[in-house]
mmCIF file of all heavy atoms in Angstrom:
data_model
loop_
_atom_site.group_PDB
_atom_site.id
_atom_site.type_symbol
_atom_site.label_atom_id
_atom_site.label_comp_id
_atom_site.label_asym_id
_atom_site.label_seq_id
_atom_site.Cartn_x
_atom_site.Cartn_y
_atom_site.Cartn_z
ATOM 1 N N SER B 1722 126.245 157.213 14.800
ATOM 2 C CA SER B 1722 127.097 156.177 15.387
ATOM 3 C C SER B 1722 126.749 154.812 14.826
ATOM 4 O O SER B 1722 127.633 153.991 14.606
ATOM 5 C CB SER B 1722 126.946 156.106 16.894
ATOM 6 O OG SER B 1722 126.741 157.343 17.422
ATOM 7 N N ILE B 1723 125.438 154.575 14.581
ATOM 8 C CA ILE B 1723 125.060 153.277 14.028
ATOM 9 C C ILE B 1723 125.610 153.138 12.608
ATOM 10 O O ILE B 1723 126.139 152.092 12.232
ATOM 11 C CB ILE B 1723 123.527 153.105 14.046
ATOM 12 C CG1 ILE B 1723 123.025 153.177 15.478
ATOM 13 C CG2 ILE B 1723 123.134 151.782 13.445
ATOM 14 C CD1 ILE B 1723 121.533 153.177 15.590
ATOM 15 N N ALA B 1724 125.510 154.218 11.845
ATOM 16 C CA ALA B 1724 126.063 154.175 10.491
ATOM 17 C C ALA B 1724 127.563 153.909 10.538
ATOM 18 O O ALA B 1724 128.102 153.102 9.762
ATOM 19 C CB ALA B 1724 125.783 155.488 9.763
ATOM 20 N N MET B 1725 128.262 154.598 11.460
ATOM 21 C CA MET B 1725 129.701 154.375 11.611
ATOM 22 C C MET B 1725 129.973 152.928 11.992
ATOM 23 O O MET B 1725 130.930 152.309 11.508
ATOM 24 C CB MET B 1725 130.265 155.297 12.702
ATOM 25 C CG MET B 1725 130.877 156.572 12.184
ATOM 26 S SD MET B 1725 131.085 157.755 13.525
ATOM 27 C CE MET B 1725 132.551 157.162 14.306
ATOM 28 N N SER B 1726 129.131 152.375 12.877
ATOM 29 C CA SER B 1726 129.347 150.996 13.324
ATOM 30 C C SER B 1726 129.228 150.026 12.161
ATOM 31 O O SER B 1726 130.025 149.095 12.037
ATOM 32 C CB SER B 1726 128.340 150.608 14.387
ATOM 33 O OG SER B 1726 128.339 151.546 15.415
ATOM 34 N N ILE B 1727 128.206 150.245 11.310
ATOM 35 C CA ILE B 1727 128.034 149.351 10.166
ATOM 36 C C ILE B 1727 129.258 149.382 9.276
ATOM 37 O O ILE B 1727 129.696 148.370 8.726
ATOM 38 C CB ILE B 1727 126.764 149.752 9.377
ATOM 39 C CG1 ILE B 1727 125.553 149.389 10.201
ATOM 40 C CG2 ILE B 1727 126.727 149.067 8.030
ATOM 41 C CD1 ILE B 1727 124.265 149.631 9.511
ATOM 42 N N MET B 1728 129.859 150.589 9.175
ATOM 43 C CA MET B 1728 131.044 150.698 8.341
ATOM 44 C C MET B 1728 132.268 150.071 9.010
ATOM 45 O O MET B 1728 133.109 149.467 8.346
ATOM 46 C CB MET B 1728 131.279 152.174 8.099
ATOM 47 C CG MET B 1728 132.093 152.498 6.922
ATOM 48 S SD MET B 1728 132.982 153.955 7.348
ATOM 49 C CE MET B 1728 134.281 153.268 8.297
ATOM 50 N N MET B 1729 132.360 150.226 10.358
ATOM 51 C CA MET B 1729 133.568 149.757 11.068
ATOM 52 C C MET B 1729 133.544 148.261 11.333
ATOM 53 O O MET B 1729 134.600 147.630 11.399
ATOM 54 C CB MET B 1729 133.712 150.496 12.403
ATOM 55 C CG MET B 1729 134.299 151.881 12.285
ATOM 56 S SD MET B 1729 133.939 152.855 13.758
ATOM 57 C CE MET B 1729 134.712 151.894 15.042
ATOM 58 N N LEU B 1730 132.338 147.689 11.523
ATOM 59 C CA LEU B 1730 132.246 146.271 11.903
ATOM 60 C C LEU B 1730 133.039 145.337 10.979
ATOM 61 O O LEU B 1730 133.878 144.575 11.466
ATOM 62 C CB LEU B 1730 130.780 145.833 11.953
ATOM 63 C CG LEU B 1730 130.145 145.713 13.330
ATOM 64 C CD1 LEU B 1730 128.701 145.283 13.192
ATOM 65 C CD2 LEU B 1730 130.886 144.728 14.206
ATOM 66 N N PRO B 1731 132.788 145.374 9.669
ATOM 67 C CA PRO B 1731 133.535 144.446 8.814
ATOM 68 C C PRO B 1731 135.045 144.636 8.906
ATOM 69 O O PRO B 1731 135.804 143.660 8.901
ATOM 70 C CB PRO B 1731 133.048 144.784 7.398
ATOM 71 C CG PRO B 1731 131.861 145.609 7.543
ATOM 72 C CD PRO B 1731 131.875 146.206 8.890
ATOM 73 N N ILE B 1732 135.475 145.907 9.029
ATOM 74 C CA ILE B 1732 136.922 146.173 9.096
ATOM 75 C C ILE B 1732 137.507 145.524 10.343
ATOM 76 O O ILE B 1732 138.522 144.814 10.294
ATOM 77 C CB ILE B 1732 137.182 147.697 9.108
ATOM 78 C CG1 ILE B 1732 136.638 148.329 7.831
ATOM 79 C CG2 ILE B 1732 138.645 147.992 9.275
ATOM 80 C CD1 ILE B 1732 136.719 149.821 7.815
ATOM 81 N N ILE B 1733 136.835 145.749 11.503
ATOM 82 C CA ILE B 1733 137.358 145.211 12.762
ATOM 83 C C ILE B 1733 137.305 143.684 12.750
ATOM 84 O O ILE B 1733 138.275 143.011 13.127
ATOM 85 C CB ILE B 1733 136.557 145.788 13.947
ATOM 86 C CG1 ILE B 1733 136.883 147.272 14.102
ATOM 87 C CG2 ILE B 1733 136.872 145.030 15.234
ATOM 88 C CD1 ILE B 1733 136.226 147.923 15.272
ATOM 89 N N ILE B 1734 136.191 143.128 12.281
ATOM 90 C CA ILE B 1734 136.056 141.670 12.300
ATOM 91 C C ILE B 1734 137.139 141.026 11.448
ATOM 92 O O ILE B 1734 137.790 140.058 11.852
ATOM 93 C CB ILE B 1734 134.659 141.244 11.790
ATOM 94 C CG1 ILE B 1734 133.580 141.677 12.769
ATOM 95 C CG2 ILE B 1734 134.593 139.740 11.595
ATOM 96 C CD1 ILE B 1734 132.184 141.429 12.276
ATOM 97 N N ARG B 1735 137.345 141.591 10.257
ATOM 98 C CA ARG B 1735 138.308 140.965 9.363
ATOM 99 C C ARG B 1735 139.721 141.008 9.925
ATOM 100 O O ARG B 1735 140.435 140.006 9.920
ATOM 101 C CB ARG B 1735 138.275 141.636 8.006
ATOM 102 C CG ARG B 1735 138.148 140.656 6.883
ATOM 103 C CD ARG B 1735 137.830 141.377 5.624
ATOM 104 N NE ARG B 1735 139.048 141.622 4.871
ATOM 105 C CZ ARG B 1735 139.575 140.712 4.057
ATOM 106 N NH1 ARG B 1735 139.023 139.541 3.930
ATOM 107 N NH2 ARG B 1735 140.659 140.989 3.376
ATOM 108 N N SER B 1736 140.132 142.169 10.458
ATOM 109 C CA SER B 1736 141.503 142.212 10.954
ATOM 110 C C SER B 1736 141.632 141.403 12.244
ATOM 111 O O SER B 1736 142.665 140.766 12.467
ATOM 112 C CB SER B 1736 141.983 143.653 11.113
ATOM 113 O OG SER B 1736 141.062 144.387 11.852
ATOM 114 N N ALA B 1737 140.585 141.392 13.086
ATOM 115 C CA ALA B 1737 140.653 140.568 14.301
ATOM 116 C C ALA B 1737 140.697 139.089 13.942
ATOM 117 O O ALA B 1737 141.406 138.301 14.579
ATOM 118 C CB ALA B 1737 139.444 140.854 15.199
ATOM 119 N N ASP B 1738 139.968 138.712 12.895
ATOM 120 C CA ASP B 1738 139.973 137.328 12.428
ATOM 121 C C ASP B 1738 141.381 136.906 12.021
ATOM 122 O O ASP B 1738 141.874 135.841 12.414
ATOM 123 C CB ASP B 1738 138.995 137.224 11.246
ATOM 124 C CG ASP B 1738 138.914 135.822 10.683
ATOM 125 O OD1 ASP B 1738 139.094 134.885 11.478
ATOM 126 O OD2 ASP B 1738 138.660 135.666 9.478
ATOM 127 N N VAL B 1739 142.042 137.785 11.253
ATOM 128 C CA VAL B 1739 143.407 137.475 10.812
ATOM 129 C C VAL B 1739 144.333 137.325 12.017
ATOM 130 O O VAL B 1739 145.147 136.406 12.083
ATOM 131 C CB VAL B 1739 143.910 138.585 9.863
ATOM 132 C CG1 VAL B 1739 145.373 138.407 9.559
ATOM 133 C CG2 VAL B 1739 143.112 138.570 8.579
ATOM 134 N N VAL B 1740 144.172 138.232 12.999
ATOM 135 C CA VAL B 1740 145.034 138.189 14.180
ATOM 136 C C VAL B 1740 144.802 136.902 14.974
ATOM 137 O O VAL B 1740 145.748 136.234 15.413
ATOM 138 C CB VAL B 1740 144.781 139.422 15.066
ATOM 139 C CG1 VAL B 1740 145.457 139.276 16.401
ATOM 140 C CG2 VAL B 1740 145.258 140.669 14.369
ATOM 141 N N LEU B 1741 143.529 136.528 15.153
ATOM 142 C CA LEU B 1741 143.226 135.332 15.947
ATOM 143 C C LEU B 1741 143.734 134.069 15.256
ATOM 144 O O LEU B 1741 144.135 133.108 15.913
ATOM 145 C CB LEU B 1741 141.710 135.213 16.163
ATOM 146 C CG LEU B 1741 141.119 136.177 17.177
ATOM 147 C CD1 LEU B 1741 139.621 135.969 17.283
ATOM 148 C CD2 LEU B 1741 141.757 135.983 18.541
#
Side-chain angles (χ1 to χ4, degrees):
Chain B
S1722 325
I1723 299 173
M1725 264 164 79
S1726 307
I1727 289 184
M1728 201 213 80
M1729 280 161 60
L1730 258 180
I1732 299 174
I1733 290 183
I1734 292 174
R1735 230 168 96 84
S1736 51
D1738 180 31
V1739 171
V1740 169
L1741 285 179

